[in-house]
Amino acid sequence: MKAVALIAAALAVMLSGCESSPDEKEINLLKEDAKVYTNSFKLDQEWEDYGIGDPFIMRYNGRFYLYCSTKDFRPGIKAWSSDNLVDWNYEGLVTEDPITTGAYAPEVFYWNGSFYLYTSPAGQGHYVLQSDSPTGPFVVKTENLGNSIDGSVFIDDDGKWYFTNAGTQGIVAHEMPDPFTIDIGVTTNAFLGHWTEGSMIWKRNGLYYMTYTGNHVFSNGYRVNYAVSKEGPFGDYALPANNPIVINVKDEFKGLGHSATVLGPDMDSYYLTYHNLVGHSAEGPPVRELNIDRLAYNGDKLVVFGPTHDHKQPAPAMPALYSWLSEGIAAEQWDKTDSAKGGTVLSQLTTETNFIAEYNFRFDADAAADNGMVEAVFSYTDASNYSAVILLPSKHELHYINVKNGSEQHGGYAALPQEFDYSKLHAIRVERRDDRVLVFFDGMKKLEEETAGPGEGKIGYIATNAKPVYEYTAFTNDAGGSSDFEAYKPVPGTIEAVHYLKEAERGFHVEQKPSEISAYRAADSVPIQKLDDGSYSVTLQQRGDWLKYKLNAKADAKYGIGLTLRKPEKDSVLEWSIDGGDPVKTKINADDPAFTEDTAKLRIGTLDISAGFHEMKIELKSGAAVIQSFELFTAEQLEEQQSFEQLPVQSGFGLFGQNDHAYTGSGTEDDRLFAGSDAWDDYTFSARVKLNADTDIGGLFIRETNESYHPAQVRDAAMGYYIGISSSQLTLHRLNYDSELIASETVELETGRVYTLKAAAKGGNIQVFLNDDPKPLIQYTDPNPFLYGKVGIHAERSTLSFYDLIVKPIKK
């Protein structure tokens, strides 16, 4: 029998030589015996010379099932199972039907006793297969349904089915009258500027989240974006500013994409699975590897703790209590009482006030038809005081009740689909968040009620006129994403300010309670404000207020701090410390020119952090600070002037020629060359530039990262800033796998004449100079800047020449 196991490990090794101050009692690292994992995974029985591509993970009855694409020209679909998302067991081929030869992106969904598998073999339209087990055998049930590739299913709270697939102008969404039928599709605005694929929709807190991937599986810059809709699966989708959420182009970890999202083992966290590209197989198809990183939420905002590679991560947390009761009811964990009419099963362990409990069970056919019922019990104190969700299978109804001093109080009820067969496995999930109880049935939200009385208590079942078969039953003492607060945040990475640790004087301290309590972290006494994008910020308003966060640093390094906050009314000082060590003070000037808008991202200082698990404290020393997030990035300042020719080349595309100490464009290719360090922060980059023809056009890159090239990818595949030059114009662009024109100035430049072009990047301020004019021709302050990156040159199918390319540090 599976019983209580892996409980989230937390905490403790201190920085070498540092001692804790009295208020730093919990500065620990992950326990030495805690379970960790490292991307990328190597699984038993992967497709040889192909690996794990287009991974999809389904959660069913407390276990996880992984499916992936099939190598070209091979029939069948492979599957693996896991209890914890880390240790995977090979389950064999779930089908060997010839139709599944080269099956692309198989996904499996459970509904009312059946598992439905959707795949596009060799990209030639979709088929639906069906089984009564997640490990098959799956049998083909439809003809070819068409609709491009990468089909994915979403089932809404009302039981309606939807299907999405790849498209040339965006992800296409369809209604599904039944699991075997796909209606005509509508192209959504979930679009990556070129071919867009690998979609998935899930729903949380009334919002529809979609992840999607593009542009080409062999591009280093294959990436994952997300979009959010309040209206439904068809959109209109908001496209948040923190996209892309998964990208990396370095040879050791590149081509990240085709993601799927799954609820974590603790039932509160979410995880993103995706693949990375290794290269071409001997037969031509891509070779890929499996990766899993944690998702988190700040209100409506979705963030990824990653992507991580060669960086140990804590294994997903398990519930406080979990058992597959059909495998045996352990007397040390559960109290079982039988009666002529049914009986009870109750946990010995009690939940905390806020929790998530899940109940998986099935009736025998006679009990379902003869007014048998089962109560999914929670907050149980005794037989006269508890709460429950009652399933009445003969009526296809759910009822929410509270029993207080023996008196039964009825709450809401919800109808269930009439086709449901309760002799098949179904799941109730109860989530108690402060003053609300949310009830889900087979993943569909069916009830939301005010709580009545304390939340602590046992969980279990009360059966009447039935003897159900109880399967996976569990609870965790987190709800509404509260597990995000205690999770270790990978560094380098961005940390949301609201993800501070739990409990006053452990995770936070505030001198004065806010006059209004936010719905986010309502139990805390910390001032929290909702922002226009649906996310939240935190205010440190009095001297001595502080917040703490868990960090997981990849390497010993100096990490720059990029702080996103609201413009303060007066100068403020924050103090940053790691594990109670020597603090670093940083100042925020109220008149900082970076505040061109109400909010800005500032480069404010540097922290020395050693590799491993830490706690970080931010304390207000003066003024006030309304903080949204902070990025910790590997920071490297140029120590002296360097020539472009002497720099390590990071990447190059096209056919740049080099002679007579000049780089000259080929005139036929989109020539790009990048050099230097991704960790450089403030510097100037200058070049003497000559237009060899009236049509020549090109420019300089600064603060540039994540560049890639593929003919089937968006053209502006980079992140950073680009200064364009032609005979008539200077331009400044912000690149984020598209190009946003920030500023332009008219110039008159002669063919054959050499001009000096210089760009300066300091914090969020970008300046562009022409010739020896000390006044910048273009000046722009980015409120959400790229704070680090290398340099590059570009000739846009032209013969533009670059001479004397120099990078100089800007001293702090």
Side-chain angles (χ1 to χ4, degrees):
M1 190 204 71
K2 306 291 183 183
V4 181
L6 208 66
I7 297 178
L11 305 173
V13 171
M14 304 201 346
L15 274 176
S16 175
C18 291
E19 295 185 2
S20 295
S21 59
D23 63 342
E24 301 287 344
K25 296 178 181 178
E26 291 190 293
I27 301 179
N28 302 315
L29 286 190
L30 209 64
K31 292 179 181 177
E32 290 183 4
D33 61 349
K35 194 170 189 63
V36 296
Y37 75 95
T38 304
N39 285 328
S40 302
F41 286 80
K42 303 293 189 295
L43 302 187
D44 183 36
Q45 299 295 316
E46 292 182 3
W47 289 105
E48 186 178 355
D49 196 27
Y50 190 74
I52 304 291
D54 309 322
F56 176 82
I57 297 175
M58 178 191 67
R59 182 176 181 272
Y60 166 75
N61 195 23
R63 290 194 170 97
F64 300 92
Y65 297 87
L66 167 68
Y67 310 87
C68 68
S69 285
T70 300
K71 189 174 184 180
D72 293 29
F73 317 119
R74 277 72 169 176
I77 294 171
K78 292 187 175 186
W80 293 259
S81 66
S82 174
D83 290 349
N84 60 12
L85 288 177
V86 172
D87 300 307
W88 293 95
N89 300 309
Y90 182 56
E91 294 287 353
L93 290 167
V94 299
T95 181
E96 298 183 64
D97 194 294
I99 279 182
T100 62
T101 299
Y104 287 2
E107 298 194 2
V108 177
F109 301 86
Y110 176 76
W111 182 257
N112 195 32
S114 288
F115 297 86
Y116 298 92
L117 187 154
Y118 299 81
T119 187
S120 177
Q124 302 300 309
H126 283 87
Y127 293 85
V128 185
L129 292 78
Q130 187 176 10
S131 176
D132 59 4
S133 166
T135 56
F138 282 88
V139 177
V140 176
K141 290 292 184 178
T142 67
E143 298 297 324
N144 192 327
L145 301 179
N147 293 305
S148 184
I149 63 170
D150 293 354
S152 184
V153 166
F154 167 72
I155 304 172
D156 210 341
D157 294 337
D158 58 4
K160 289 184 178 179
W161 286 49
Y162 299 85
F163 185 87
T164 58
N165 59 263
T168 57
Q169 296 299 314
I171 296 298
V172 182
H174 314 249
E175 289 188 354
M176 297 181 70
D178 58 64
F180 305 109
T181 308
I182 303 171
D183 281 351
I184 295 173
V186 175
T187 300
T188 71
N189 64 319
F191 182 46
L192 289 175
H194 210 293
W195 178 255
T196 306
E197 61 188 21
S199 59
M200 182 179 179
I201 297 174
W202 71 100
K203 191 174 185 179
R204 182 180 183 273
N205 291 345
L207 298 176
Y208 300 83
Y209 290 86
M210 183 196 289
T211 49
Y212 49 101
T213 292
N215 292 126
H216 194 279
V217 71
F218 276 117
S219 167
N220 287 12
Y222 199 57
R223 65 203 185 281
V224 180
N225 274 36
Y226 82 104
V228 185
S229 171
K230 296 180 180 180
E231 306 304 323
F234 291 97
D236 189 16
Y237 283 94
L239 309 176
N242 64 316
N243 276 309
I245 53 173
V246 173
I247 188 170
N248 198 74
V249 303
K250 301 300 183 184
D251 282 344
E252 65 273 13
F253 196 54
K254 64 188 178 185
L256 315 184
H258 199 112
S259 70
T261 298
V262 65
L263 189 68
D266 66 355
M267 304 174 293
D268 182 64
S269 60
Y270 286 77
Y271 284 82
L272 190 82
T273 181
Y274 58 94
H275 68 237
N276 67 284
L277 176 68
V278 176
H280 289 75
S281 70
E283 295 175 355
V287 179
R288 295 163 292 185
E289 297 173 322
L290 172 69
N291 302 276
I292 297 173
D293 279 312
R294 183 172 177 141
L295 290 176
Y297 301 86
N298 171 5
D300 300 353
K301 184 180 182 182
L302 178 67
V303 296
V304 176
F305 293 169
T308 66
H309 177 65
D310 194 25
H311 185 185
K312 289 182 179 179
Q313 302 300 315
M318 302 301 287
L321 172 71
Y322 65 99
S323 295
W324 284 265
L325 296 178
S326 64
E327 299 177 13
I329 297 177
E332 68 273 15
Q333 296 172 7
W334 301 90
D335 294 318
K336 183 175 184 292
T337 304
D338 291 320
S339 69
K341 289 189 174 183
T344 65
V345 177
L346 293 169
S347 66
Q348 294 182 9
L349 195 63
T350 60
T351 70
E352 295 178 2
T353 301
N354 289 341
F355 62 87
I356 297 172
E358 183 173 291
Y359 314 77
N360 290 264
F361 58 93
R362 53 188 169 86
F363 288 84
D364 62 56
D366 291 338
D370 295 337
N371 296 318
M373 70 178 190
V374 66
E375 299 178 46
V377 173
F378 54 96
S379 302
Y380 185 97
T381 303
D382 55 44
S384 297
N385 295 276
Y386 65 90
S387 298
V389 176
I390 303 175
L391 172 62
L392 300 173
S394 62
K395 294 184 177 181
H396 294 277
E397 287 181 354
L398 282 181
H399 290 256
Y400 172 64
I401 66 164
N402 287 291
V403 178
K404 186 174 183 181
N405 297 326
S407 176
E408 189 173 293
Q409 302 169 352
H410 286 262
Y413 75 95
L416 298 175
Q418 290 295 308
E419 72 268 24
F420 271 4
D421 176 356
Y422 299 98
S423 67
K424 307 300 184 183
L425 193 73
H426 294 278
I428 292 175
R429 192 169 93 244
V430 174
E431 185 166 353
R432 191 186 196 277
R433 305 180 187 175
D434 298 318
D435 62 345
R436 311 295 294 174
V437 169
L438 286 66
V439 179
F440 300 81
F441 193 86
D442 288 356
M444 301 176 289
K445 182 182 170 184
K446 289 301 181 183
L447 293 169
E448 182 169 351
E449 300 289 325
E450 291 184 1
T451 56
E456 303 94 334
K458 300 177 180 182
I459 72 163
Y461 302 90
I462 300 175
T464 304
N465 297 326
K467 292 187 179 293
V469 176
Y470 302 127
E471 291 283 354
Y472 182 78
T473 308
F475 75 77
T476 190
N477 291 311
D478 278 297
S482 63
S483 62
D484 293 345
F485 312 152
E486 296 291 316
Y488 281 95
K489 284 64 176 183
V491 174
T494 298
I495 294 95
E496 299 298 306
V498 291
H499 288 165
Y500 55 86
L501 297 178
K502 298 177 182 178
E503 303 167 10
E505 307 311 318
R506 175 182 174 271
F508 61 91
H509 170 85
V510 292
E511 293 290 338
Q512 181 179 341
K513 292 184 178 181
S515 57
E516 294 184 6
I517 301 297
S518 168
Y520 193 90
R521 303 197 69 160
D524 295 351
S525 56
V526 177
I528 295 176
Q529 304 81 28
K530 190 170 186 178
L531 306 173
D532 291 341
D533 66 356
S535 66
Y536 293 85
S537 63
V538 179
T539 299
L540 298 177
Q541 57 188 4
Q542 288 189 272
R543 178 182 173 85
D545 288 358
W546 55 259
L547 304 167
K548 279 186 187 174
Y549 303 85
K550 288 183 177 178
L551 306 182
N552 176 12
K554 183 173 183 178
D556 298 351
K558 290 184 179 294
Y559 291 94
I561 306 170
L563 181 67
T564 300
L565 78 168
R566 183 183 298 171
K567 177 180 171 63
E569 294 181 1
K570 58 181 180 181
D571 293 354
S572 303
V573 174
L574 293 173
E575 190 173 83
W576 307 68
S577 59
I578 304 296
D579 299 339
D582 294 337
V584 172
K585 287 186 177 181
T586 60
K587 184 177 182 181
I588 298 100
N589 295 316
D591 60 354
D592 192 314
F595 288 107
T596 57
E597 299 180 4
D598 181 57
T599 300
K601 182 178 180 181
L602 309 181
R603 169 72 160 91
I604 62 168
T606 302
L607 284 170
D608 288 320
I609 307 178
S610 61
F613 298 91
H614 302 276
E615 284 186 3
M616 186 185 74
K617 182 179 180 181
I618 306 175
E619 183 171 346
L620 183 69
K621 305 306 289 185
S622 66
V626 182
I627 304 172
Q628 293 183 22
S629 63
F630 52 94
E631 182 183 9
L632 298 175
F633 56 90
T634 306
E636 179 182 337
Q637 185 176 4
L638 278 169
E639 295 300 327
E640 58 185 15
Q641 172 180 310
Q642 296 190 47
S643 165
F644 189 86
E645 293 176 281
Q646 300 171 327
L647 297 174
V649 173
Q650 298 294 330
S651 60
F653 315 113
L655 297 171
F656 253 124
Q658 185 178 5
N659 54 66
D660 297 329
H661 302 289
Y663 295 89
T664 300
S666 64
T668 59
E669 302 293 326
D670 194 15
D671 306 313
R672 304 180 186 215
L673 190 61
F674 298 94
S677 170
D678 282 352
W680 282 347
D681 50 12
D682 293 349
Y683 55 79
T684 66
F685 183 38
S686 62
R688 296 171 65 231
V689 182
K690 183 173 71 171
L691 281 70
N692 295 306
D694 290 340
T695 56
D696 278 354
I697 185 171
L700 306 179
F701 294 95
I702 58 171
R703 294 259 185 87
E704 192 282 331
T705 60
N706 286 316
E707 72 282 355
S708 67
Y709 173 76
H710 192 279
Q713 183 172 295
V714 291
R715 181 165 172 262
D716 297 296
M719 301 169 75
Y721 302 97
Y722 175 62
I723 296 89
I725 186 170
S726 69
S727 60
S728 60
Q729 198 173 43
L730 280 184
T731 57
L732 173 63
H733 304 255
R734 189 180 193 275
L735 305 180
N736 189 20
Y737 273 69
D738 59 11
S739 180
E740 178 186 1
L741 178 61
I742 298 299
S744 65
E745 290 292 335
T746 301
V747 295
E748 294 183 4
L749 305 183
E750 299 175 9
T751 302
R753 182 179 170 184
V754 177
Y755 297 88
T756 300
L757 181 63
K758 183 175 77 171
K762 184 176 182 181
N765 184 251
I766 309 297
Q767 296 179 329
V768 180
F769 301 85
L770 187 63
N771 288 336
D772 297 324
D773 191 343
K775 183 179 179 180
L777 194 61
I778 292 174
Q779 182 163 233
Y780 171 69
T781 299
D782 190 347
N784 183 30
F786 298 105
L787 291 173
Y788 48 89
K790 55 187 163 297
V791 296
I793 56 176
H794 185 200
E796 301 183 39
R797 295 178 177 84
S798 72
T799 57
L800 196 69
S801 293
F802 298 87
Y803 305 84
D804 302 327
L805 292 142
I806 301 295
V807 188
K808 291 184 180 180
I810 297 177
K811 298 298 183 182
K812 305 295 183 189

